Each structure stands twice: as structure tokens, then as C-alpha cells.
Amino acid sequence: MCLGIPACVVELDACEPGLATVDVSGVRRDVSVALVEDPAAPLAKGDWVLVHVGFALARIDERQAQETLELLRQGLELERELEELRRTAEAAR
Amino acid sequence: MRYVDEFRDPVLARSLAAEIRSLVTPGEVVRVMEVCGGHTHAIYRHGLDELLPPEVELVHGPGCPVCVIPMGRVDDAIAIAETDGVTLATFGDMIRVPGGRDSLLQAQARGADVRVVYSPLDALELARDEPGRHVCFFAVGFETTAPATAITLLRAREEGVSNFSVFCNHVLIEPPLRAILETPGCAVDAFVGPGHVATVVGSDAFRFVPEEYGRPLVVSAFEPTDLLQSVALILRQLAQGRCEVENQYTRVVLPEGNTLALAAMAETLQLREDFEWRGLGVLPRSALGIRDELAAFDAERLFALPGRRLEDPKACSCGMVLTGRMKPWECRVFGTACTPERPLGTCMVSSEGACAAFFSYGRLRQPREEVTVGG
């Protein structure tokens, strides 16, 4: 639950303001981006964020995002987190 | 060297390990506490402890939020879950934590409506979907997850969701660090600071460690080479007679933290006078409750809770492990009466608990052998 997962923004204001649809290794779900909003540099499609329990807590660059994902993939952490994401993303539909 | 090859950058890992070896004085042990459970997990998963010279001893800290929740609070959550018409939602790690009698998982088997959610927003969604039931979110976590609870509370108020509440168990990182530093005979020489907590609170929030207690602290990211680099930065400070907060995780952590997250927490949560921690006892001003303005969403005001203080089982040494005074394998029940499948203590429940991390990577005993690393 404390694990930070890199995710790529695929759609903004998906269904309501402050939420964005993100993609983590092919799994999509809505997360809150309220904590990384910056009027001077609005979040855009293709941006990467670090997600904790459904909230983007920081913006990160794509290279570090991919590296972190690769490392998580080698362990079981990513699989476990994706399982949670899939389960809850389906429940939300 | 079976572990180094798994690193993304084995060359960098080797050179960092060589630098660390060059910075220690033979026979002089430096005790470095990694505060965060995520770091503990990474250390065991990648065998970092085996890469370090015997002069660097890693001590596991109190930074696993599941592990520090006392049994009495689990019983309170079970009492909420067993109330008619109530759904209790929480993170997957929490449902197996043993309370005084049993766990939320066992309460679920007895018929209580306990649901695992990925995010507090999912719990709010449950409340919207089932207006006939009351949905209570059992919130745990340090400052990393508290902003999520804060924003969820703000949304609930904004939308006027009247069948939603939060059983708030958010804890703060500073009080347990002070408690450990103020323990007579505290043998911790330096700290690896928690990268994700620091994302929220900022690296400056840890300045009290060098300034008031004279111990270096390096805020660290979570990859193996990050952790090795943080240990090297600590040893460099010690070698040069410096004592400060350094930030190894500059790619994410700002000195001031995430100000939006801190503002959301300040708007919704308030300091409790005190809070009981597993292993550390009652610490003043160490946890957050829900602000009076949001009382309508506060499960502690909505439900009659047992609120009992329970002693840990005698055989369980979680308290010693959480404060770095005992290693997982030194506990009498480690790997025998206490395993991840049937945990006695909280450190064996969460994958970030020191005992579970140690057990999961197949290391029932500390293999403290001399490791030679090329370079």
C-alpha cells in the first residue's frame, strides 16, 4: 500500500474534474491528480506520475518511470499492485 | 554474488559497494536505520545487506504503518465492521492483522461486510453506490497516504455523501523517530530517510535529526542502487565530520514537500493529543484524527468503540523489531509459530514488515558471511 507506482496519463478529467485515467502496464484506472496540479504547468496526456493508493503524489519523467516499472516487474510487487488495480478498475465499471 | 547481477546496473552497484567499503574503518560498526518499510523490503529482496561490509549494520525502523497499529485499534475496526448495515473498507494489508481475538478477515468469514479497496476513493465510491449502507474506511498510513484520506474527506463533504465515514489511524513520522533517538543507549548512528513520506512532508522536515540529535539523515529512493548510494552518502558525511539532511531522491522530493498535500491534510486532519503505537507505547502528538468541522465523517464519533489497550502476545517481539532493538530472526517465534500465512505479530503481516520481508526472501537466518565484490 505504500508502494509508489509510475503511471502514464492517458485522459484528463475522465469523468469528473481532478481525476485522470492513467495506464500502468496496460491496466487503466482513474486516479486523483488533485495533488499534482500546477496552474503554471497543467498536466497533459503522456505525462508520468507516481501513484499512491489512487492519488498521484508527484510528477516523474518517463525514463525514471520506465526504470522503476522494470524493477517492480522483476519482483512480485508490480503483479500484486496490478491485480489490485484490475480488480478495483473492474468494480468501478 | 547471486544478487548483484539482478540489479539494473550491476556495475554501478559494484562501484557503490566498493566506495562504501573504502569509507568504513575496519572494526568500527556504523548502525544505519532505514525508517521505511519499503526500504526494508528492497534491502531483503535485493540482498543489499549482504553487499555491505560487516562494519555497516542495517537496523530496521518503525516505518511500516500496518506494523505499528496496536491490536486494540484492530478490535475497534472489527467492532465497526460487525455493526448492522455497515461496510468496512480497507487496504488488503490490514485485513490479516490480528487483533485481540482475531482479524478482519476472520470477522468477514463470520459474516461481517469487509471489503478490500485499493484507494480511499474506492471506499467513497462504494458509499455512493450503496446509499442504503454506511461505508467506513479504515485509514492507516504515514504522511504518504494521509493526503489521500484528506482529499477523499473533502470530496465526501463536497458531494454531501452522508453514509460515509473514516476510522482515522494516520500516524506521523517525526514522533517515533524522536522516541527512538531519545531511548537511552540509542545505538543508531544515522538514518536512511523515507522517500515517499518525504515526497509529502519535504526533506526539510527531517532537519531535527541532525540539528537536535546529531545524526545524519539521507532521504532515499527505493531502488537498490539508490539505497547503496544513500548509505555511501551517510558514510561520506561521517568521514568528513558533516551532519545534515541530504536528499538522494531529488528527482521526486522537494525540500518543502508537496504543499497541496500538506494543505489538504491541514484542512481535514488534526493532531491527536496522543496515540498508542505498537512497540513504542503511547506517543504524544504522534497521530492525526479528523477535524471537528468534519465530525460527521468521523467513525470515532459515530460508533461506540471498545477502545481497549491490549498487550501484545507474550511470544511476539514486534515492538523490539520495530524499534531496531531486535532482528527478525532473533525473535523466538519467527518462522515457526509466526509466518506470513499465520502471523502472530504485525511485522509478519505486511510485505513491508521486517519479518515478512526477511521470511519471504527465504532467509530464515542471517547469512552474515564475507562477500567479495569485484571492483
Side-chain angles (χ1 to χ4, degrees), chain B residues 315-329:
Chain B
C316 171
S317 303
C318 279
M320 298 289 282
V321 173
L322 281 168
T323 48
R325 289 173 291 171
M326 186 186 264
K327 293 291 196 301
W329 64 90

Side-chain angles (χ1 to χ4, degrees), chain B residues 34-45 60-61 352-355 357:
Chain B
E34 88 278 359
V35 175
C36 173
H39 286 153
T40 306
H41 184 89
I43 286 163
Y44 287 137
R45 177 154 120 64
H60 316 305
E352 279 144 24
C355 297

